[in-house]
Amino acid sequence: MTTHDVVAIGCGPFNLGLAALASTVPDVDVVVLEARPELRWHSGVMFPDALLQVSFLADLVTLVDPAHPLSFLAYLRDADRLYPFYVRERFHPTRREYEDYLRWAAARLPVRFSHGVSSVEWAGDRFAVSGPGFAVEARHLVLGVGTAPHVPPALAGLGDRLAHSSDYLHRDVSRERVTVVGSGQSGAEVVLDLLRRNLSDGRPAVSWLTRTPVFAPLDYTRLVLEMTTPAYVRHFHSLPQDRRDALRAEQWRHYRAISSETLDELHDLLYRREWEHGLAPVELRPGVSVVSSAVSGDGVVLECLHRDTGRTFRHVTDLVVAATGYRQAPTPFLAPLEPFVRRDDQGRYVVALDHSIEIDPAIGGRVFVANADLHSHGVAAPDLGIGAVRNATILNAVAGREVYPLPAHTAYTSFTAPGETVD
């Protein structure tokens, strides 16, 4: 049985970035275990022209170590696309390109695919991690299992009449009437694809229902973007949990809204429909909650509430695409450790500033989380731009020294009160 300094469970961009940064640190051994047979990144919404919503600088390593051999620019050089990318003059890669970059990096790192973890136990002086056909030991763990598609109870029970947006491109959506419930970037991209089909083929009829009062754009203005910097993360983490939760509820437009470019494309398609005839109808209705749903002879019947007026109405469709977001993926393999883990009154991990969870001192190793700390570290948690800094923080904690210097000057905004400092 092999022993590693760190076993990272789950091969998404964050754990892959941890392995990338560790690959140039000779005395820190990191291995990544992934249940799937290959790296796939949001394949259900991998539209050909979809762009990453952050700059290429938010790759696995650059914001901590721009000279690292696994940077996005090193990938471009290796693929002989450095000059085409330069001439393109766009900081945002396509999602397909970014996934290809992740696969390029994974091929150069200790990533073990088809290694689904079944159990993690504390074996006296290290973690025993096992799954079908394998067992390894680790001094520390990093949980990067990501999120799972969430379907609210109001849409449960629709069977094959329901698709989650995360699975959209893998489903047959050739129905006469398709309704998208929920907004955000994924919902908007699904509607964009359906509108293109409507314009070219005349079908399907498209409805878009969302609880938000408007189809709101992402607030990516520059000073607001400073909320994704380490400076804001430190400030957010210093606040009481009830204040963090209140702030996070106010900040939804930073990570759950729609890019301005996508909204512009949607409006352009709607405008082009003005000059066509015989197209199936399209409706956009914000401020609408789906209260319940059922399958009937006519298709799917949604009982809806118009939030501004309080009026209820029925909406009939053939297929519902739920763009209703994600929840933290379950971790049943951690059941043996559960008695030792501290959670808050909402059942969430209590997460320290260095991204380790609070755990009984009887457990000598540390457990860190990647992208399971939205409640403790704020809106930066799911942002690719914070990944390298989070991973450098984890490696520094594991090594017990400054393996990677952390950036100090990250924002012009002063988030704290005058005279207050945050460690």
Side-chain angles (χ1 to χ4, degrees), residues 8 15 29 42 51 53 65-66 89 96 110 124 127 136 148 158 164 180 199 258 264 281 305 317 329 381 391 418-419:
N15 272 355
D29 168 32
H42 299 306
L51 295 178
Q53 290 180 270
D65 183 3
E89 290 191 333
R96 284 187 170 183
F127 294 102
V136 296
L158 296 182
H164 193 273
V180 179
L199 193 57
I258 307 164
D264 288 345
L305 170 69
T317 188
N391 286 330

Side-chain angles (χ1 to χ4, degrees), residues 241-318:
Q241 188 59 61
D242 59 348
R243 183 59 188 147
R244 294 180 199 166
D245 290 339
L247 280 174
R248 193 161 57 89
E250 297 170 4
Q251 295 166 352
W252 65 273
R253 279 191 57 188
H254 184 71
Y255 64 103
R256 283 166 44 197
I258 307 164
S259 75
S260 297
E261 292 79 8
T262 302
L263 288 171
D264 288 345
E265 286 186 71
L266 286 166
H267 194 273
D268 284 346
L269 286 178
L270 292 168
Y271 188 76
R272 284 170 54 190
R273 294 181 76 258
E274 297 277 359
W275 314 111
E276 303 295 335
H277 302 284
L279 302 180
V282 170
E283 61 172 338
L284 281 65
R285 293 191 187 277
V288 170
S289 296
V290 176
V291 178
S292 65
S293 61
V295 177
S296 76
D298 295 331
V300 176
V301 179
L302 303 180
E303 298 290 340
C304 301
L305 170 69
H306 189 260
R307 295 164 69 88
D308 284 348
T309 64
R311 292 180 57 190
T312 58
F313 64 95
R314 301 177 80 205
H315 174 81
V316 181
T317 188
D318 296 312

Side-chain angles (χ1 to χ4, degrees), residues 70-110:
L70 293 177
S71 70
F72 184 78
L73 290 180
Y75 154 77
L76 288 176
R77 180 183 60 188
D78 191 63
D80 196 23
R81 285 207 311 280
L82 197 53
Y83 260 89
F85 187 82
Y86 158 68
V87 173
R88 178 173 173 259
E89 290 191 333
R90 298 187 72 174
F91 264 36
H92 296 68
T94 67
R95 277 196 214 138
R96 284 187 170 183
E97 185 173 32
Y98 186 75
E99 182 186 53
D100 192 61
Y101 160 64
L102 296 179
R103 289 180 172 177
W104 172 86
R108 290 157 174 77
L109 292 168

Side-chain angles (χ1 to χ4, degrees), residues 125-246:
D125 61 348
R126 62 199 66 194
F127 294 102
V129 182
S130 60
F134 76 92
V136 296
E137 294 182 333
R139 296 182 177 88
H140 308 284
L141 296 177
V142 179
L143 305 179
V145 296
T147 55
H150 170 69
V151 175
L155 294 175
L158 296 182
D160 63 1
R161 297 292 189 124
L162 175 73
H164 193 273
S165 58
S166 63
D167 201 36
Y168 175 75
L169 290 177
H170 305 314
R171 292 288 300 272
D172 178 10
V173 296
S174 55
R175 309 290 178 94
E176 288 297 308
R177 301 166 296 183
V178 180
T179 298
V180 179
V181 176
S183 53
Q185 185 65 23
S186 294
E189 289 178 1
V190 168
V191 172
L192 190 63
D193 183 69
L194 292 170
L195 285 181
R196 287 170 176 158
R197 298 180 187 215
N198 176 278
L199 193 57
S200 64
D201 304 333
R203 296 289 184 274
V206 181
S207 299
W208 191 10
L209 312 177
T210 179
R211 292 175 47 132
T212 58
V214 293
F215 295 102
L218 282 165
D219 192 344
Y220 265 25
T221 49
R222 292 176 184 176
L223 291 179
V224 170
L225 271 178
E226 292 197 342
M227 289 164 50
T228 64
T229 64
Y232 185 74
V233 168
R234 289 192 297 270
H235 166 66
F236 187 90
H237 189 273
S238 72
L239 301 173
Q241 188 59 61
D242 59 348
R243 183 59 188 147
R244 294 180 199 166
D245 290 339

